Amino acid sequence: MRFLEDIYFVFRREFYLVFRDHGVLTFFVLLTLVYPLLYAYIYSNEIAEEVPVAVVDESHSALGREFVRNWDATASVRVVARCGEMEEAKELMRKKEVYGVLWIPGEFSRQVARGEQAHVSLYCDMGALLNYKALLAAATDVSLQMGKEIQAEGLEYATDITEAIATQPVKVRDVKMFNPQGGYTSFLIPAVLILVIQQSLLLGVGMVAGTERDRRRNGRSSPAGGHFAFPLRVVLGKACAYLPVYFVMGYWVFFIVPRIFNMTQVGGRAELMLFLFPFLLASVFLAIAVSFLSREREVPFLIFVFTSVPLMFISGISWPKSAIPGYLLWLGKLFPSTFGIDGFVKINNAGATLSEVLPEYAGLWILAAVYLCLACFLYYREMRMTKIEKKRVK
Amino acid sequence: MDWRADIRAIGSLMKREMGILAGDRMYWFMMLVAPVFCFLFFMDLLDEGLPSRLPVAVVDRDNTTTSRSLVRSLNSFAQVEVAMRTADFREAREALQKGEVYGIFYIPPHFRRDASTGEEPTLSFYTNDTYFLAASLLYKDMRLLGSLASGSVRQTLLLAKGEGGPTLTAKLMPIALDTHPLGNPWLSYSIYLANFLLPAFLCMFVMLTTAYSFIQELKRRTAGGWLSEGNGSVIVALTGKYLAQGLVFVVMGTLCLSLLYGYGRFPMNSGFFPMFLAMVLMVAASQGFALFVSGLVSRGRIVLSACALWCVLSFSICGFTYPVRSMPWLAEWASNLFLMRHYFLIYIDQALNGIGMAYSWQNYAALLVFALLPLMVLRRLRKNLEGNRYLP
């Protein structure tokens, strides 16, 4: 009975601390509320469209014009300038008015007419890889399509079927799974969502602990004795205060935000919740454990903010796992976000079931247990240190 | 006003600042440990350029010499590794969902027979586009393989009809597209990531250190002494303190540049000076921005929150992976308020494309404006320092 009483007391006090401190509330509520919206807004167009380009057509032929027309007609390209010579187009590129130049050489249509291979050249500004990809894909499509027409014209007395066989004996079909438009939002945002939850917890809990240490002379993060005599009860009590806040914010972040922005959501809701529960637990215990690093109210900013980006990279979302050095993968396994992102993406975007993400699921539970023990140990150590100090003072 | 006394004051303030920096663990962490960790972390992660050997699954329902040679050529692409061969699509799909492979290459039954009799078999490839980079790399390779397959069948047909010779390539591919990715012919992805990420981390640490050290003066009640040591002039006091910090950060910035262009051998077509100038201005601009915010708001945590938000957002809004032009208009406009955006544009013009510095004068000027922002809030800064007001 005494056990639950202590937990309840710690919980009440912590709850009060959280809701009275606007700084902490900023992290727990405002950050988790606004940040996902901000990110989703930035990437809401998903793909590069209507990239401005210049054309240098030295062939002055019907065929060259047809190529440009077809290219311009694709969704990714907008021809904004037609230049007489290459230097003019390059100058436009330096001024950032166009991001690519298509050069059709003078002998283009002559070569086609002679039955030789004709060349067109695409020059791309590499300031953004996505622009290059869009321009290249569009130009490849056009050149293949026009090539096919030229081949078909060359076959006299051919029926439709022989034409088809001669121009394309094998069909190719590509399927983009789990992110049909190949967009940026559906790929990046799930990882951001998980990270927002973990990082806001680190910052908020760190701030609570730092403020407490600022207030007390002895630099302790909780009162000594009384209801705070047992480490496990303190940790559980604190966790009970943070968890309800994060159940609410988690629902917003993981279920409502993806809906607002029409992101892929194919996973079962119950399954997702079951998976996210240990993630929240592990994050909360991690936050309590590392809050011992924050000796002052301002410190969490300095030590936690920058970790988001490396964590994003070692989660295997923005950089393929097979290209990450092994020791970094192991480092990543120390953080709930790595398992969290992996599992969340698999369930939410790829429709995996809980049994298919078993390694991640187990990993989260193990992390939760490890960090619970670590947090308890750190409280125990802190309590013992103060006791020793007290004795020395006496 | 005696300018000699001011210079002497700046000198003694710089000495004072070095003492403060050396005596506090937090500054060692912010100015040395954390930046070096981030630099080394990303240099090691990105040193391959493009990720290679991405695992894919092959579902070969045909299992003839033709299909097997297709699989062999797929495996020979540098970026592909056939990690799984199976005749059961379901098994491959499950591996895809588990994230064990990034793509599936499907060869239908009777592929060879259909291709040679004109039945037009369909090769399918599936990519898991929740892993954007891996999927787009695989897409490229698998698409190339598809057209190679088509081409090799056609080549056999044409040769059988006796149509060899110099026009064969033209028959196979009447229009060839030559691409010239200017400045990055290797299409290396790490060029984008490393050249933005390393300086962006430095920018973040400069901003946070600047704001933190300002708050610390108030919190430790040393602001009065600081101001009086600066002959009572805010400008002198700020210059002395932040010149010392700036020097340390410029050293870190030089380390960053030498890691990128010396050790990492990323392209630097402009020579050293334009990038060094950009780096110095970037450090000054970060300090300026942080001091500007410190003057606008007096609550320490709001200043730090604003700086942290600005830095973290600049990782996405500066457009180093997703072009700014493709963002909604409000974000496109707002990107100019992030100083890393200007640094990034200078980098593209100078180090990557190597065009004249005149083309990026606007961005250099923008960084300078950021550095001079605190001049607008001098009075507020003085009031905060004189009142020694620490608000948590």
Side-chain angles (χ1 to χ4, degrees), chain A residues 125-178:
Chain A
D125 176 68
M126 294 304 284
L129 211 55
L130 229 54
N131 284 344
Y132 165 75
K133 222 180 92 180
L135 293 182
L136 176 63
T140 313
D141 283 346
V142 171
S143 71
L144 287 179
Q145 186 55 42
M146 284 184 66
K148 218 182 284 174
E149 283 160 20
I150 293 166
Q151 284 166 348
E153 275 167 23
L155 297 169
E156 290 143 29
Y157 315 117
T159 61
D160 286 354
I161 298 171
T162 38
E163 258 181 30
I165 297 170
T167 53
Q168 194 180 20
V170 176
K171 277 190 188 156
V172 178
R173 184 173 60 127
D174 65 279
V175 185
K176 288 182 188 305
M177 291 181 90
F178 315 132

Side-chain angles (χ1 to χ4, degrees), chain B residues 297-354:
Chain B
V297 218
S298 17
R299 274 189 185 279
R301 69 170 159 81
I302 298 188
V303 176
L304 280 169
S305 303
C307 289
L309 178 76
W310 228 246
C311 296
V312 174
L313 265 188
S314 60
F315 281 98
S316 24
I317 209 168
C318 291
F320 76 110
T321 51
Y322 181 81
V324 167
R325 219 192 48 80
S326 307
M327 290 175 191
W329 66 271
L330 190 62
E332 191 179 344
W333 177 83
S335 72
N336 289 315
L337 302 178
F338 291 79
L339 60 99
M340 278 312 290
R341 168 77 183 151
H342 300 286
Y343 178 87
F344 180 64
L345 287 178
I346 294 176
Y347 157 71
I348 295 285
D349 280 350
Q350 299 302 320
L352 191 65
N353 289 338

Side-chain angles (χ1 to χ4, degrees), chain A residues 47-248:
Chain A
I47 46 172
E49 273 183 339
E50 300 279 303
V51 180
V53 294
V55 170
V56 183
D57 183 0
E58 288 179 358
S59 79
H60 305 290
S61 60
L63 206 59
R65 282 192 293 276
E66 190 187 338
F67 193 99
V68 175
R69 221 169 26 242
N70 289 347
W71 196 43
D72 197 8
T74 58
S76 11
V77 178
R78 187 158 47 100
V79 176
V80 293
R82 285 160 206 274
C83 306
E85 54 184 18
M86 203 58 200
E87 201 43 47
E88 200 182 330
K90 275 187 184 161
E91 183 62 23
L92 286 177
M93 193 131 91
R94 282 184 213 126
K95 285 185 187 153
K96 300 245 165 4
E97 279 168 29
V98 299
Y99 293 91
V101 178
L102 186 76
W103 181 57
I104 302 179
E107 63 269 31
F108 177 71
S109 104
R110 221 174 313 140
Q111 279 176 331
V112 171
R114 274 202 300 239
E116 290 167 12
Q117 192 172 41
H119 289 256
V120 289
S121 290
L122 176 66
Y123 296 83
C124 282
D125 176 68
M126 294 304 284
L129 211 55
L130 229 54
N131 284 344
Y132 165 75
K133 222 180 92 180
L135 293 182
L136 176 63
T140 313
D141 283 346
V142 171
S143 71
L144 287 179
Q145 186 55 42
M146 284 184 66
K148 218 182 284 174
E149 283 160 20
I150 293 166
Q151 284 166 348
E153 275 167 23
L155 297 169
E156 290 143 29
Y157 315 117
T159 61
D160 286 354
I161 298 171
T162 38
E163 258 181 30
I165 297 170
T167 53
Q168 194 180 20
V170 176
K171 277 190 188 156
V172 178
R173 184 173 60 127
D174 65 279
V175 185
K176 288 182 188 305
M177 291 181 90
F178 315 132
N179 179 5
Q181 71 272 57
Y184 225 72
T185 321
S186 312
F187 131 77
L188 199 66
I189 297 299
V192 172
L193 298 181
I194 291 274
L195 273 173
V196 163
I197 291 286
Q198 180 189 296
Q199 298 300 94
S200 66
L201 260 169
L202 286 184
L203 288 167
V205 176
M207 196 172 214
V208 173
T211 314
E212 289 275 280
R213 289 205 176 90
D214 270 354
R215 280 200 198 126
R216 275 178 243 292
R217 277 269 169 73
N218 57 11
R220 284 198 42 162
S221 59
S222 54
H227 291 285
F228 286 85
F230 298 96
L232 181 65
R233 297 176 194 180
V234 177
V235 174
L236 287 182
K238 287 195 174 201
C240 286
Y242 308 137
L243 275 174
V245 181
Y246 271 83
F247 285 148
V248 179

Side-chain angles (χ1 to χ4, degrees), chain B residues 148-165:
Chain B
L148 282 181
S150 209
S152 76
V153 173
R154 260 182 13 230
Q155 189 180 9
T156 323
L157 282 176
L158 287 172
L159 286 174
K161 286 183 189 163
E163 295 201 44

Side-chain angles (χ1 to χ4, degrees), chain A residues 274-278 339 354 357-366:
Chain A
L274 267 179
F275 177 79
L276 290 171
F277 179 64
F339 292 123
L354 206 54
V357 292
L358 211 56
E360 287 87 2
Y361 195 55
L364 283 175
W365 279 111
I366 293 172

